[in-house]
Amino acid sequence: MDELWAALQASPVAAWARSARWGYAALNGAHIVGIALLVGAMVPLNLVRIGAALGVGRIPAETAARLLVPFAGAGLVLAVGTGAVMFAARAGEYAALGVVQAKLALVGAGTLIALALHARHGRDMQRAGPRRTAAHAALSLVMWLTVLGLGRLIAFVG
Ligand code: HEM
């Protein structure tokens, strides 16, 4: 695995990210825009799903999904793309950090779960029944907020 990180770190894009001060700042800024789009869509979407499952929500989950899923998807693509380049810049260092490992595992798991849900239910996100839907939405909420916290933590432990 160490060879993979070394090769990634020696790549031209990683060298650019290390040397381009404002380029790196722009990359970091775009990462935050991606995070804002992703978390800014996932929090209300999951709260609406929980409300609908508990029978107290006023907005249909399908309407919320129609509006918010495209923003969440665009945000995820932007966060993953920019995050990958920032990771490549210091791949060896980042890969050794538990915080980074946990964050990447949660991003992977969260993405796979979201894709599986979408493939099975489309926008009819409540089809799994109220208890499962509420549990899934609460888990999704906690997962993405944990990713956000772990991402911010990298600067303090690295
Ligand atoms: C494959 C996906 C991702 C990779 C490889 C990645 C990688 C990175 C890297 C290398 C940094 C810079 C850390 C530092 O040295 O300070 C960072 C920062 C951060 N990431 Fe990610 N990231 C990914 C996805 C996400 C997602 C989905 C979120 C949030 C939901 C997120 C939240 C954050 C936050 C909050 C920061 C700190 C930004 C700052 O304080 O300037 N990341 N990420």
Side-chain angles (χ1 to χ4, degrees):
M1 213 61 171
D2 286 352
E3 294 86 31
L4 175 67
W5 305 137
L8 199 58
Q9 207 165 314
S11 65
V13 71
W16 169 81
R18 279 191 303 274
S19 65
R21 189 171 171 219
W22 293 110
Y24 190 89
L27 207 58
N28 195 61
H31 195 60
I32 291 171
V33 172
I35 296 160
L37 286 170
L38 172 65
V39 178
M42 289 310 276
V43 170
L45 177 61
N46 284 313
L47 290 177
V48 166
R49 293 180 65 210
I50 292 169
L54 299 178
V56 295
R58 292 197 195 136
I59 300 169
E62 206 183 330
T63 307
R66 197 181 297 279
L67 175 69
L68 295 169
V69 167
F71 287 104
L76 181 63
V77 169
L78 189 57
V80 170
T82 51
V85 179
M86 291 196 293
F87 179 91
R90 289 178 190 81
E93 244 173 80
Y94 284 136
L97 292 176
V99 169
V100 173
Q101 293 163 5
K103 174 182 161 177
L104 295 184
L106 280 183
V107 170
T111 305
L112 287 179
I113 293 171
L115 288 175
L117 179 81
H118 215 62
R120 274 180 73 180
H121 299 313
R123 287 212 180 87
D124 186 5
M125 296 193 149
Q126 311 299 101
R127 209 196 293 170
R131 285 171 72 99
R132 283 185 68 147
T133 298
H136 175 273
L139 182 70
S140 168
L141 202 56
V142 170
M143 275 178 82
W144 290 114
L145 290 174
T146 304
V147 171
L148 182 74
L150 291 174
R152 193 63 195 93
L153 212 58
I154 300 171
F156 297 92
V157 300

